[in-house]
Amino acid sequence: QVARTLGKRPIIIRTLDGGGEKPLPSFDLGEELNPFLGWRGIRFCLDHPDIFLPQLRAILRASSGHNVKIMFPMIGTVNEIRQAKKFLDQARDDLEETGLPYDHQMEVGIMIEVPSAVAVADILASEVDFFSIGTNDLTQYTMAADRGNSNVAELAQALNPAVLRLISQTVNAGHAAGIWVGMCGELAGDAAAAPLLVGLGLDELSMSAPSIPAVKEAIRSVTTADARRLAETVLNLDSAQAVADYLAAAAA
């Protein structure tokens, strides 16, 4: 229904991203000491082809005549995306056997949410058509700080220079391989950070609808050259507060 409504406009469909803060009521994931570091996202799906393959077939079927892209969450290793692509190939074969149409050129992307993915982003970029940086999870995994824990909330900030440098590394690796790099998560919808994200080279930002006007206005207010200079300065600051203060001063 969404693909039909959007027509030729692009839509990215993420495969099942359960676990961690997103429980699956219809499936018992068992008790885990730390579910954020456990059986979640692509890890769960790769272990359950009976759940994964129907999703892949459905996404492929929805792609017929529409601009649908597929995205795999929580990729932390090169082997995981290669396994996921094998399942996608199997889903394609299933549709071929039944004569059901699908978009043979559908783009395949991954979420960049864990530091290990950033470390091998140059290799991952050769496997996919795009990256989408999930800043919420990337921040908590980089800072070892649960974003839902008020005791460490000061650490779990996406404007921390450590997180921003990982974003920059990811963008650079993606662009070097000729793929586009987007961002989702709270930072993508932060109008104050929009000039910085432009300067870091992000190609696309995903946000909730109410955030769009302010972010558009912020992007229109800055030139690409100024945004790049802003990013160069910010990457050398020493704290999230220093970054926030600098962005506020630059916008004043």
PDB file of all heavy atoms in Angstrom, residues 105-119:
ATOM      1  N   GLN A 105      16.552  -4.465 -10.305  1.00  0.00           N
ATOM      2  CA  GLN A 105      17.600  -3.480  -9.998  1.00  0.00           C
ATOM      3  C   GLN A 105      17.419  -2.864  -8.604  1.00  0.00           C
ATOM      4  O   GLN A 105      18.025  -1.838  -8.308  1.00  0.00           O
ATOM      5  CB  GLN A 105      17.575  -2.366 -11.051  1.00  0.00           C
ATOM      6  CG  GLN A 105      17.702  -2.848 -12.483  1.00  0.00           C
ATOM      7  CD  GLN A 105      18.985  -3.617 -12.731  1.00  0.00           C
ATOM      8  OE1 GLN A 105      20.054  -3.225 -12.249  1.00  0.00           O
ATOM      9  NE2 GLN A 105      18.893  -4.707 -13.470  1.00  0.00           N
ATOM     10  N   MET A 106      16.616  -3.485  -7.757  1.00  0.00           N
ATOM     11  CA  MET A 106      16.348  -2.923  -6.434  1.00  0.00           C
ATOM     12  C   MET A 106      17.644  -2.700  -5.650  1.00  0.00           C
ATOM     13  O   MET A 106      18.484  -3.590  -5.538  1.00  0.00           O
ATOM     14  CB  MET A 106      15.431  -3.855  -5.635  1.00  0.00           C
ATOM     15  CG  MET A 106      15.034  -3.299  -4.275  1.00  0.00           C
ATOM     16  SD  MET A 106      13.918  -4.402  -3.358  1.00  0.00           S
ATOM     17  CE  MET A 106      15.016  -5.791  -3.019  1.00  0.00           C
ATOM     18  N   GLU A 107      17.791  -1.490  -5.103  1.00  0.00           N
ATOM     19  CA  GLU A 107      18.988  -1.168  -4.333  1.00  0.00           C
ATOM     20  C   GLU A 107      18.965  -1.889  -2.983  1.00  0.00           C
ATOM     21  O   GLU A 107      17.916  -2.051  -2.356  1.00  0.00           O
ATOM     22  CB  GLU A 107      19.096   0.339  -4.100  1.00  0.00           C
ATOM     23  CG  GLU A 107      19.438   1.125  -5.350  1.00  0.00           C
ATOM     24  CD  GLU A 107      19.716   2.585  -5.033  1.00  0.00           C
ATOM     25  OE1 GLU A 107      20.140   2.911  -3.905  1.00  0.00           O
ATOM     26  OE2 GLU A 107      19.491   3.417  -5.928  1.00  0.00           O
ATOM     27  N   VAL A 108      20.157  -2.291  -2.542  1.00  0.00           N
ATOM     28  CA  VAL A 108      20.334  -2.986  -1.270  1.00  0.00           C
ATOM     29  C   VAL A 108      21.266  -2.151  -0.385  1.00  0.00           C
ATOM     30  O   VAL A 108      22.350  -1.748  -0.820  1.00  0.00           O
ATOM     31  CB  VAL A 108      20.941  -4.388  -1.478  1.00  0.00           C
ATOM     32  CG1 VAL A 108      21.202  -5.068  -0.129  1.00  0.00           C
ATOM     33  CG2 VAL A 108      20.027  -5.243  -2.353  1.00  0.00           C
ATOM     34  N   GLY A 109      20.823  -1.883   0.832  1.00  0.00           N
ATOM     35  CA  GLY A 109      21.643  -1.094   1.743  1.00  0.00           C
ATOM     36  C   GLY A 109      21.705  -1.704   3.126  1.00  0.00           C
ATOM     37  O   GLY A 109      21.034  -2.701   3.417  1.00  0.00           O
ATOM     38  N   ILE A 110      22.516  -1.093   3.964  1.00  0.00           N
ATOM     39  CA  ILE A 110      22.651  -1.570   5.348  1.00  0.00           C
ATOM     40  C   ILE A 110      22.626  -0.385   6.308  1.00  0.00           C
ATOM     41  O   ILE A 110      22.968   0.738   5.949  1.00  0.00           O
ATOM     42  CB  ILE A 110      23.953  -2.369   5.577  1.00  0.00           C
ATOM     43  CG1 ILE A 110      25.189  -1.506   5.286  1.00  0.00           C
ATOM     44  CG2 ILE A 110      23.959  -3.643   4.758  1.00  0.00           C
ATOM     45  CD1 ILE A 110      26.490  -2.175   5.681  1.00  0.00           C
ATOM     46  N   MET A 111      22.235  -0.681   7.537  1.00  0.00           N
ATOM     47  CA  MET A 111      22.356   0.276   8.614  1.00  0.00           C
ATOM     48  C   MET A 111      23.780   0.217   9.161  1.00  0.00           C
ATOM     49  O   MET A 111      24.345  -0.869   9.339  1.00  0.00           O
ATOM     50  CB  MET A 111      21.386  -0.065   9.745  1.00  0.00           C
ATOM     51  CG  MET A 111      19.922   0.060   9.392  1.00  0.00           C
ATOM     52  SD  MET A 111      19.388   1.765   9.301  1.00  0.00           S
ATOM     53  CE  MET A 111      19.508   2.265  11.008  1.00  0.00           C
ATOM     54  N   ILE A 112      24.353   1.374   9.414  1.00  0.00           N
ATOM     55  CA  ILE A 112      25.639   1.465  10.114  1.00  0.00           C
ATOM     56  C   ILE A 112      25.316   1.896  11.535  1.00  0.00           C
ATOM     57  O   ILE A 112      25.005   3.058  11.793  1.00  0.00           O
ATOM     58  CB  ILE A 112      26.586   2.476   9.440  1.00  0.00           C
ATOM     59  CG1 ILE A 112      26.854   2.094   7.982  1.00  0.00           C
ATOM     60  CG2 ILE A 112      27.890   2.587  10.230  1.00  0.00           C
ATOM     61  CD1 ILE A 112      27.693   0.855   7.785  1.00  0.00           C
ATOM     62  N   GLU A 113      25.340   0.929  12.450  1.00  0.00           N
ATOM     63  CA  GLU A 113      24.896   1.186  13.822  1.00  0.00           C
ATOM     64  C   GLU A 113      25.916   0.780  14.878  1.00  0.00           C
ATOM     65  O   GLU A 113      25.773   1.150  16.042  1.00  0.00           O
ATOM     66  CB  GLU A 113      23.598   0.415  14.101  1.00  0.00           C
ATOM     67  CG  GLU A 113      22.462   0.762  13.173  1.00  0.00           C
ATOM     68  CD  GLU A 113      21.272  -0.155  13.362  1.00  0.00           C
ATOM     69  OE1 GLU A 113      21.257  -1.242  12.736  1.00  0.00           O
ATOM     70  OE2 GLU A 113      20.368   0.201  14.128  1.00  0.00           O
ATOM     71  N   VAL A 114      26.903  -0.007  14.479  1.00  0.00           N
ATOM     72  CA  VAL A 114      27.892  -0.480  15.446  1.00  0.00           C
ATOM     73  C   VAL A 114      29.284  -0.085  14.960  1.00  0.00           C
ATOM     74  O   VAL A 114      29.544  -0.054  13.749  1.00  0.00           O
ATOM     75  CB  VAL A 114      27.801  -2.003  15.673  1.00  0.00           C
ATOM     76  CG1 VAL A 114      26.512  -2.358  16.368  1.00  0.00           C
ATOM     77  CG2 VAL A 114      27.932  -2.766  14.375  1.00  0.00           C
ATOM     78  N   PRO A 115      30.207   0.230  15.869  1.00  0.00           N
ATOM     79  CA  PRO A 115      31.540   0.677  15.460  1.00  0.00           C
ATOM     80  C   PRO A 115      32.284  -0.307  14.560  1.00  0.00           C
ATOM     81  O   PRO A 115      33.082   0.113  13.726  1.00  0.00           O
ATOM     82  CB  PRO A 115      32.259   0.874  16.801  1.00  0.00           C
ATOM     83  CG  PRO A 115      31.162   1.216  17.764  1.00  0.00           C
ATOM     84  CD  PRO A 115      30.004   0.363  17.333  1.00  0.00           C
ATOM     85  N   SER A 116      32.022  -1.605  14.717  1.00  0.00           N
ATOM     86  CA  SER A 116      32.718  -2.579  13.868  1.00  0.00           C
ATOM     87  C   SER A 116      32.371  -2.364  12.397  1.00  0.00           C
ATOM     88  O   SER A 116      33.213  -2.585  11.512  1.00  0.00           O
ATOM     89  CB  SER A 116      32.356  -4.008  14.284  1.00  0.00           C
ATOM     90  OG  SER A 116      30.983  -4.278  14.081  1.00  0.00           O
ATOM     91  N   ALA A 117      31.140  -1.921  12.122  1.00  0.00           N
ATOM     92  CA  ALA A 117      30.742  -1.657  10.743  1.00  0.00           C
ATOM     93  C   ALA A 117      31.498  -0.456  10.186  1.00  0.00           C
ATOM     94  O   ALA A 117      31.860  -0.438   9.001  1.00  0.00           O
ATOM     95  CB  ALA A 117      29.240  -1.418  10.662  1.00  0.00           C
ATOM     96  N   VAL A 118      31.749   0.539  11.022  1.00  0.00           N
ATOM     97  CA  VAL A 118      32.526   1.696  10.579  1.00  0.00           C
ATOM     98  C   VAL A 118      33.955   1.277  10.271  1.00  0.00           C
ATOM     99  O   VAL A 118      34.549   1.718   9.278  1.00  0.00           O
ATOM    100  CB  VAL A 118      32.516   2.804  11.643  1.00  0.00           C
ATOM    101  CG1 VAL A 118      33.338   4.007  11.171  1.00  0.00           C
ATOM    102  CG2 VAL A 118      31.087   3.238  11.960  1.00  0.00           C
ATOM    103  N   ALA A 119      34.507   0.395  11.104  1.00  0.00           N
ATOM    104  CA  ALA A 119      35.891  -0.037  10.931  1.00  0.00           C
ATOM    105  C   ALA A 119      36.113  -0.744   9.603  1.00  0.00           C
ATOM    106  O   ALA A 119      37.210  -0.684   9.039  1.00  0.00           O
ATOM    107  CB  ALA A 119      36.307  -0.941  12.092  1.00  0.00           C
TER     108      ALA A 119
END
